[in-house]
Amino acid sequence: MSSREPAPWVTTSTVLQRLKSFDDQDAWQQFVRRFQRPIEAYARKRGLSESDAEDAAQEALAAFAQSFRDGGYERERGRLSRWLFGIVHHRIEQQRDRMARRAPADSVAWSQLEDQQSPDGVWTEIWERSMLEQCVAAARDELHGTTRRVFEMLVLEGRSVEDAMSETGLSRNAVYIAKHRALTRVRGLLADCDEVD
Amino acid sequence: MRRASDCPPLEELERFVISALDLDSSAWIEAHRRGCATCKDRLAEMTRNHALERRLRQTFDARPDSQRLAIPEFRILRELGRGGMGVVFEAEQENPRRRVALKLLRCSRFSDERSRALFRREIEALARLAHPCIATIFSSGETAEGEPYLAMELVAGAPLTEHVRSEQPDLRRRIALFARIAEAVQHAHQRGVIHRDLKPSNVLVSAGGEPKVLDFGLAKILDEERVPGESQSVAGGLRGTLAYMSPEQTRGDPQAIDARTDVYSLGVMLYELVSGRPPYDVAQRDLLAAVRVIQESEPAAPSRFEREANTDLDAIVLKALAKDASARYSSAAALAEDLARWLAGDIVLARAPSGAYVLRKLIARHRLAFAFAATVVAMLAGSATWMTVLYKRTDGLRIDAESAGLLATEQRGLAEQRLVQQQEETRKNYWTVQFLSYVFGQAQLSKAGPKTLLGEVVVEAGRELDRRSDHPPAIAAAIGLVLARVEASLGSFAQAETRLRWCIAKLEQPGRAPDARDADFHQALFEVLRRLDRLDEAEAELSRAETLASLPSDDVELDRTRLQLISDRGRLALRRGDFSAANSALRAALEQQQARLGASHEDTLSTQTQLCIVLQDQGKLDEAEPFALAALEGYRELRGPQHPQTLNAQTNYAMLLLDRGRAEEARDLLAVTLEAQEREIGPEAESSMATRNNYAGALFRLGELEAALEAWREVATQQERVLGPNSLYTLVSRRNIAITLVRLLRSAEAEPIALDVVERAGAVFSESHHLCVRTKTTLGRIRIALKRYEEAEADLLDAWRVLESMQGINPAWKRECADTLAIMYELLQRPEDSAIWRARQVGEARPLRATLGRGTILRSPQGTHAKP
Ligand SMILES: [Zn+2]
């Protein structure tokens, strides 16, 4: 869970539009903050060292930004995550080829289920988790008082409706309303991460 | 009665969404929704929110699984165990009320179809089985989070090893317990289920002493469809726990897995139960060494460690553990029955091996010796006959004791008898010889063991040939050709060269017109020279062979030679590093060979292999893959899985995997290949050394640099001794050593090696050979690391000039050079120059730090073709 300081959510579309003006450092920071971590996590999963993963993420984002400025990304061509994946995967495989650093494998038991996931599946999993984390963090920052607490208790802590009622003093129906309001907001943020107008 | 206009509370709507309402309430909400836009929207919204809520829970819920998981009908009580593929809980089922073991596949909703397919297979396997010693499956399904689970009989007991340790049953009780396990395995086999992962931890023994076999997670079901991806993986064998794996499992051949594989694993368990120790100590070894132990070493008799055991019991245990599946008990039942006989004091069947088995074993042990004796006799007899066909001297057949004098006395009768037969018969012999020279050519006999015997025979035959100066020259030459091919196959290239030149001199005596079949001599000499990396001389011989082969002839075999010569052009170009030329020559040869000889002909397969290597060197992996697979499949079909050429194709396929970044698979495949090569052709055969070099490459790619360095040092020393210091392969290995040293930050040690490789490669091949150029790039990197920038700049610019003029090479080679230059200028704080070099990297974003190009990795050479 992110513990970053509250910052207002800027839509991905806005970030990317601002990125088109070359010197918008702030937009670049926003952009990097949003997408660097999943790329790094993916790179680490593909066997890169921490610093190589960092480099790979920087390179991929730079390549992405460049290509976005050049008009290479069109909404019709699919979701942002897929498009980014194309660039990221390419960069990382190159890096992997060069660096070829991986932890030695276990030499005794060879389980069937390990290492069978496709790069694509790994990426999707990491991407979705990272976006979930960021959106949940952003939603918590936005929500206030009892709504926020209900969201935390019911969804993040797995507590019961009754617990939430007694802690917040809300009615049963109000607890449900608060929960769904929070969930709807998270959904909106999630959609924004991956869809660019 | 509720009024239709009353909107239900949100809680009820949510329970409707998650299908937790009774039928009446559901029907009511269904009806209400049709008339109420508000609730309709709410329901749509809540359905989407519910999906998100599930994901959030899965991602963030920190509670243990036992609290988090909600499986209808089951209440989770505690976790029993957890492994790579799943978690097992103890749970209480509602109806019927009972305790169960609940096994859950730990997969997110993203995990691929394969894991699920395997889990489904375990469910299917268990559903087929009903035996008191196999845990019964009760039900299966999916959790609310979409994770598949299965509920099975909860076995309260201790793992086999623990049970034996705590209960200390005597030997007879241990054997009786084991016999029950074998019966359970037999039950599974009868229903088409092979367990494939039998080991003591997969057997629980209840308090009542009843064993239960568990965990069919790796089971193979004989009549079912394959799990996707399973058999496509060539390397795919190494599953299960190494210590209990059969030799055929470690060889990774899925076709070889049958009931006897489980018999072997049972044998390991039995060995442990009898002697209290495993038959082999594989825990402390690396994978390759462990595999070798399993495939080669004979375990000590268990009776050495257990007083109560006797030689009969030893025989039973060792029969179950036989390396060769056909020497094991044919079923788990047969093993159980023999154990029952032992318990009853009867004569055990293990003590009475069949005559066929003994004979087979004898032949296996002396296989090479038998083969040599047979082939040497037949070859020397046959080659003279063959020449009579070749030189159309079938009239008269005046080949008497003089030409047969070459043969040992006891073979003379045979030779003479053959030589006087009619033309039809000699034709038949011709084919025999073709076959035999194939045997010698393909066997790639190593420098060890019975090979020495063969070498002596050849030397002796050669001496005899020299002594008999009155021998008809054509026949002497033909025999010489066979001998030279044997010598080449033994790696004695220098002798082979001398012999071939002597043969050619014989043929070129005045008064004899050149014959199209003389091409064979020049082709053989070409091959020898190519192997010696004397490429200009080799090319001259190839040209001569081409000229001769174009002479008119009605010999049908000549067609094959002509096609081979096209292919040889490609091989020569490849050795020279001219990939474009190699590519087009090999494609041309392949096309014709496929059309005229067929897709599965050995020449076609060989050309295919070469083409695959060229494409890999050009970085065209997608194009290379079908050729690699076709060659591998073709050789497997044509020659069988353990044949030297099949093993070469296997090495080549592994290299493709490596280039594709599938380094672990590649390493495993190389390990089993190397193991087989060392057994079949010896450790010093060219192919074995190539595979060892490649194995080091896989280690390198996996980041095990020290191990890679050691392996390369070992193989380079060996290559230097066997192939000489100027061989392409020796130099490649040494370049790899230099690269590894750089990566280990030992550039000062790397420098003299890289320098020497550059000099030798330049002198032996040319300044523009890829090995020379790429090593120059390496040298540049080394000198950058040593901060000697001026020298580095000279090396790199030099390398770049050559690279730029080269056609059809792997673009990565240019990239590694340009990369290095860019980095160097950056270090020299000359950003403009750096930018220029970065710009040369087409379509590349800027790399942030110096990285090292991967080592050149050697492919397996193809065996010399011994064609008549
Ligand atoms: Zn309503």
Side-chain angles (χ1 to χ4, degrees):
Chain A
M1 188 70 45
S2 166
S3 59
R4 206 175 292 120
E5 73 283 357
W9 183 268
V10 186
T11 68
T12 306
S13 297
T14 310
V15 172
L16 290 175
Q17 288 312 319
R18 281 172 55 192
L19 211 56
K20 276 195 175 168
S21 71
F22 279 56
D23 294 329
D24 194 338
Q25 275 304 310
D26 196 41
W28 174 250
Q29 289 305 324
Q30 292 261 13
F31 172 70
V32 168
R33 198 178 303 149
R34 195 160 297 172
F35 300 113
Q36 183 171 21
R37 281 204 296 169
I39 300 175
E40 271 178 40
Y42 174 74
R44 296 281 289 142
K45 248 209 155 128
R46 299 294 293 163
L48 265 57
S49 72
E50 210 169 309
S51 63
D52 291 336
E54 201 178 304
D55 292 353
Q58 290 279 356
E59 287 174 43
L61 288 173
F64 173 83
Q66 185 57 49
S67 149
F68 186 78
R69 284 170 184 157
D70 297 346
Y73 177 64
E74 289 154 31
R75 184 153 168 34
E76 296 72 50
R77 287 174 51 189
R79 286 166 167 265
L80 183 61
S81 65
R82 304 313 308 158
W83 197 50
L84 205 47
F85 174 65
I87 293 172
V88 167
H89 184 65
H90 180 69
R91 297 294 321 151
I92 287 174
E93 292 311 303
Q94 274 179 346
Q95 188 84 351
R96 239 159 79 94
D97 203 40
R98 291 208 207 101
M99 306 305 293
R101 272 189 213 143
R102 272 171 94 178
D106 175 16
S107 66
V108 182
W110 289 76
S111 161
Q112 286 193 97
L113 291 183
E114 276 150 22
D115 206 28
Q116 294 295 341
Q117 231 174 345
S118 64
D120 206 356
V122 174
W123 168 257
T124 309
E125 195 168 338
I126 289 172
W127 169 273
E128 298 207 354
R129 186 180 173 102
S130 173
M131 293 308 133
L132 270 185
E133 281 174 355
Q134 295 189 44
C135 292
V136 163
R140 283 171 83 199
D141 291 343
E142 283 179 23
L143 298 169
H144 297 288
T146 50
T147 307
R148 175 177 174 164
R149 188 65 199 130
V150 166
F151 174 62
E152 286 171 352
M153 288 183 77
L154 290 190
V155 179
L156 305 181
E157 295 164 16
R159 309 264 294 274
S160 69
V161 174
E162 289 72 23
D163 283 356
M165 284 164 67
S166 68
E167 192 178 317
T168 60
L170 292 174
S171 73
R172 182 174 293 272
N173 215 44
V175 166
Y176 277 96
I177 289 172
K179 182 179 91 170
H180 281 284
R181 183 183 297 156
L183 287 170
T184 303
R185 181 58 189 146
V186 175
R187 276 203 295 116
L189 291 171
L190 271 178
D192 172 66
C193 286
D194 212 6
E195 282 163 22
V196 184
D197 296 314
Chain B
M1 193 68 197
R2 298 165 81 154
R3 283 189 306 171
S5 58
D6 282 348
C7 288
L10 288 182
E11 182 181 17
E12 202 173 337
L13 287 180
E14 184 165 302
R15 292 180 60 202
F16 174 78
V17 166
I18 63 175
S19 312
L21 278 185
D22 60 73
L23 278 177
D24 283 353
S25 308
S26 294
W28 186 84
I29 288 180
E30 197 65 66
H32 173 81
R33 171 162 73 167
R34 270 182 239 123
C36 176
T38 312
C39 287
K40 192 178 170 201
D41 289 351
R42 271 183 188 160
L43 280 168
E45 181 97 353
M46 287 172 97
T47 306
R48 288 194 290 268
N49 282 350
H50 176 65
L52 172 65
E53 191 178 355
R54 253 171 52 185
R55 271 171 69 194
L56 290 172
R57 286 241 173 88
Q58 255 185 318
T59 313
F60 299 110
D61 196 336
R63 288 173 306 158
D65 295 311
S66 54
Q67 284 175 43
R68 185 175 62 80
L69 290 168
I71 302 172
E73 262 223 79
F74 294 100
R75 195 163 60 88
I76 288 173
L77 301 173
R78 67 192 175 103
E79 188 176 310
L80 293 173
R82 171 180 295 264
M85 56 165 61
V87 197
V88 183
F89 298 106
E90 180 177 347
E92 189 173 65
Q93 191 175 11
E94 277 171 22
N95 189 21
R97 186 167 288 275
R98 60 185 165 191
R99 293 285 169 96
V100 301
L102 198 67
K103 184 169 177 177
L104 194 74
L105 179 66
R106 287 306 307 271
C107 66
S108 72
R109 59 197 195 87
F110 310 113
S111 79
D112 60 329
E113 194 43 36
R114 190 183 149 74
S115 322
R116 287 168 180 274
L118 287 167
F119 197 75
R120 276 200 300 273
R121 184 155 70 178
E122 178 172 11
I123 292 170
E124 198 205 320
L126 283 171
R128 290 178 175 216
L129 309 177
H131 188 274
C133 295
I134 296 175
T136 314
I137 186 169
F138 296 139
S139 66
S140 62
E142 281 193 359
T143 68
E145 257 98 40
E147 294 171 328
Y149 69 85
L150 70 89
M152 57 196 279
E153 180 184 356
L154 180 68
V155 182
L160 184 59
T161 317
E162 214 173 282
H163 168 82
V164 170
R165 203 179 298 131
S166 62
E167 300 295 313
Q168 304 261 330
D170 65 21
L171 180 65
R172 296 183 63 82
R173 274 174 202 225
R174 299 202 297 272
I175 298 294
L177 177 67
F178 177 84
R180 291 286 285 149
I181 298 169
E183 282 164 21
V185 172
Q186 172 69 16
H187 171 86
H189 289 172
Q190 282 170 340
R191 278 150 191 79
V193 176
I194 297 168
H195 190 290
R196 290 205 290 191
D197 193 21
L198 288 168
K199 54 186 173 188
S201 59
N202 279 338
V203 177
L204 291 187
V205 184
S206 71
E210 185 81 325
K212 292 265 187 191
V213 179
L214 305 174
D215 202 348
F216 283 73
L218 291 183
K220 176 177 179 176
I221 298 177
L222 291 177
D223 50 3
E224 64 137 28
E225 285 176 32
R226 284 170 179 155
V227 167
E230 178 171 68
S231 59
Q232 280 92 314
S233 163
V234 181
L238 292 184
R239 291 172 185 148
T241 308
L242 196 56
Y244 297 90
M245 265 188 216
S246 64
E248 62 269 22
Q249 274 173 304
T250 64
R251 270 195 288 275
D253 178 6
Q255 300 302 315
I257 309 290
D258 61 19
R260 293 171 299 183
T261 302
D262 277 352
V263 170
Y264 180 90
S265 304
L266 283 171
V268 180
M269 284 165 67
L270 179 60
Y271 191 100
E272 279 192 68
L273 277 177
V274 172
S275 69
R277 60 176 60 218
Y280 314 108
D281 177 22
V282 294
Q284 301 305 315
R285 294 170 195 268
D286 70 41
L287 181 66
L288 184 59
V291 164
R292 195 170 300 164
V293 164
I294 289 172
Q295 295 188 1
E296 285 171 10
S297 28
E298 298 291 338
S303 59
R304 280 180 49 195
F305 311 107
E306 167 61 54
R307 271 184 305 110
E308 290 178 66
N310 59 16
T311 50
D312 275 359
L313 188 56
D314 283 347
I316 293 176
V317 177
L318 296 178
K319 184 176 167 80
L321 281 175
K323 307 286 179 206
D324 181 359
S326 64
R328 281 176 218 148
Y329 290 99
S330 59
S331 67
L335 171 59
E337 283 158 17
D338 228 10
L339 286 171
R341 268 180 226 109
W342 182 81
L343 286 171
D346 285 346
I347 295 169
V348 301
L349 294 185
R351 285 299 295 271
S354 71
Y357 171 61
V358 172
L359 187 62
R360 201 164 45 235
K361 217 166 164 175
L362 199 63
I363 291 173
R365 195 169 292 153
H366 303 288
R367 186 174 38 169
L368 286 176
F370 271 117
F372 289 145
T375 46
V376 168
V377 168
M379 179 182 74
L380 292 179
S383 56
T385 318
W386 166 47
M387 290 316 299
T388 63
V389 179
L390 195 54
Y391 292 95
K392 306 192 175 60
R393 291 194 34 187
T394 44
D395 53 323
L397 286 171
R398 297 285 312 136
I399 300 166
D400 49 18
E402 275 177 87
S403 62
L406 165 64
L407 309 172
T409 328
E410 63 267 32
Q411 290 132 30
R412 195 170 298 157
L414 171 66
E416 280 170 355
Q417 188 194 334
R418 281 205 186 157
L419 291 175
V420 294
Q421 279 165 355
Q422 298 303 308
Q423 191 161 355
E424 197 184 347
E425 185 60 24
T426 42
R427 194 77 195 165
K428 219 183 284 171
N429 286 338
Y430 159 68
W431 287 108
T432 313
V433 174
Q434 188 185 32
F435 168 70
L436 292 171
S437 24
Y438 158 75
V439 170
F440 278 104
Q442 303 302 300
Q444 296 194 358
L445 307 154
S446 76
K447 290 234 169 199
K451 198 219 72 189
T452 323
L453 163 72
L454 180 66
E456 280 164 13
V457 170
V458 172
V459 168
E460 197 48 51
R463 274 198 206 114
E464 190 66 30
L465 200 57
D466 290 338
R467 266 201 293 276
R468 298 266 160 181
S469 50
D470 48 350
H471 224 70
I475 290 180
I479 294 170
L481 177 61
V482 176
L483 294 180
R485 283 191 165 139
V486 175
E487 282 164 337
S489 79
L490 294 170
S492 311
F493 296 121
Q495 279 108 297
E497 185 196 351
T498 313
R499 172 105 47 218
L500 285 166
R501 293 200 184 281
W502 177 88
C503 293
I504 290 167
K506 287 256 173 209
L507 292 176
E508 285 170 351
Q509 276 170 9
R512 182 184 172 278
D515 186 288
R517 298 270 7 174
D518 293 351
D520 288 328
F521 294 88
H522 297 277
Q523 198 265 345
L525 187 52
F526 155 77
E527 188 60 32
V528 166
L529 293 168
R530 186 181 74 98
R531 295 291 196 90
L532 289 167
D533 288 314
R534 282 156 54 191
L535 301 184
D536 291 332
E537 292 169 73
E539 181 158 19
E541 292 305 323
L542 184 55
S543 302
R544 180 82 187 121
E546 284 164 346
T547 311
L548 286 166
S550 66
L551 290 172
S553 167
D554 54 2
D555 191 326
V556 287
E557 269 297 302
L558 201 59
D559 197 33
R560 184 181 166 192
T561 305
R562 287 173 183 144
L563 297 179
Q564 184 58 45
L565 289 170
I566 304 174
S567 187
D568 283 340
R569 277 276 160 204
R571 278 160 224 260
L572 178 66
L574 175 59
R575 198 81 168 196
R576 283 198 191 281
D578 184 351
F579 298 113
S580 292
N583 191 325
S584 48
L586 290 167
R587 274 186 199 276
L590 181 61
E591 201 175 297
Q592 294 194 47
Q593 284 171 330
Q594 274 170 338
R596 316 242 294 261
L597 306 173
S600 56
H601 190 277
E602 57 171 304
D603 291 1
T604 314
L605 295 174
S606 164
T607 303
Q608 218 157 24
T609 307
Q610 296 293 318
L611 185 54
C612 166
I613 293 169
V614 172
L615 289 167
Q616 270 177 270
D617 279 338
Q618 290 184 299
K620 299 174 180 171
L621 304 184
D622 289 328
E623 284 180 60
E625 181 145 10
F627 290 118
L629 276 174
L632 180 54
E633 286 311 312
Y635 279 122
R636 277 193 179 160
E637 189 94 338
L638 189 68
R639 304 263 182 256
Q642 302 295 314
H643 188 275
Q645 280 202 310
T646 311
L647 296 173
N648 282 354
Q650 208 158 291
T651 293
N652 290 330
Y653 182 70
M655 295 317 294
L656 198 67
L657 291 176
L658 194 58
D659 279 349
R660 287 254 152 133
R662 290 154 67 183
E664 288 176 11
E665 270 175 86
R667 177 197 56 194
D668 295 348
L669 185 57
L670 288 166
V672 294
T673 308
L674 181 57
E675 189 278 326
Q677 282 175 325
E678 293 192 340
R679 185 182 60 235
E680 298 289 324
I681 57 177
E684 291 199 341
E686 206 175 315
S687 299
S688 303
M689 292 191 290
T691 305
R692 192 170 303 109
N693 174 80
N694 294 343
Y695 181 74
L699 293 176
F700 179 89
R701 299 273 207 105
L702 287 165
E704 296 170 32
L705 301 182
E706 298 280 0
L709 180 65
E710 196 183 322
W712 265 320
R713 285 217 156 117
E714 200 180 301
V715 76
T717 311
Q718 208 176 27
Q719 284 170 320
E720 212 160 327
R721 189 172 63 240
V722 180
L723 305 173
N726 290 333
S727 157
L728 175 64
Y729 298 141
T730 311
L731 294 173
V732 164
S733 296
R734 294 186 59 219
R735 171 168 186 263
N736 291 338
I737 290 171
I739 290 174
T740 316
L741 284 169
V742 177
R743 281 284 296 274
L744 287 166
L745 306 177
R746 286 155 64 181
S747 294
E749 280 174 74
E751 191 188 15
I753 299 172
L755 197 56
D756 189 52
V757 172
V758 168
E759 278 166 7
R760 284 178 191 269
V764 177
F765 302 97
S766 77
E767 296 278 326
S768 62
H769 189 275
H770 62 88
L771 178 64
C772 182
V773 178
R774 296 188 67 202
T775 312
K776 228 173 242 176
T777 305
T778 310
L779 192 57
R781 283 172 187 262
I782 291 169
R783 288 172 167 167
I784 291 173
L786 296 172
K787 298 197 173 27
R788 280 158 40 202
Y789 297 111
E790 272 174 38
E791 289 164 84
E793 185 177 27
D795 295 331
L796 292 166
L797 290 176
D798 210 18
W800 181 260
R801 260 192 300 279
V802 181
L803 281 166
E804 231 180 4
S805 69
M806 285 166 77
Q807 299 296 311
I809 59 164
N810 192 334
W813 299 354
K814 280 186 174 175
R815 211 155 52 217
E816 68 190 12
C817 186
D819 252 349
T820 314
L821 277 159
I823 290 157
M824 185 189 69
Y825 288 123
E826 205 159 77
L827 291 169
L828 290 171
Q829 307 200 332
R830 286 161 60 183
E832 299 81 12
D833 290 318
S834 181
I836 291 171
W837 288 100
R838 291 207 191 288
R840 309 229 187 206
Q841 302 162 37
V842 191
E844 288 271 293
R846 37 177 293 179
L848 296 183
R849 73 159 63 87
T851 56
L852 197 85
R854 69 177 172 82
T856 306
I857 289 168
L858 173 62
R859 265 95 196 176
S860 178
Q862 282 293 293
T864 321
H865 280 262
K867 293 188 293 92

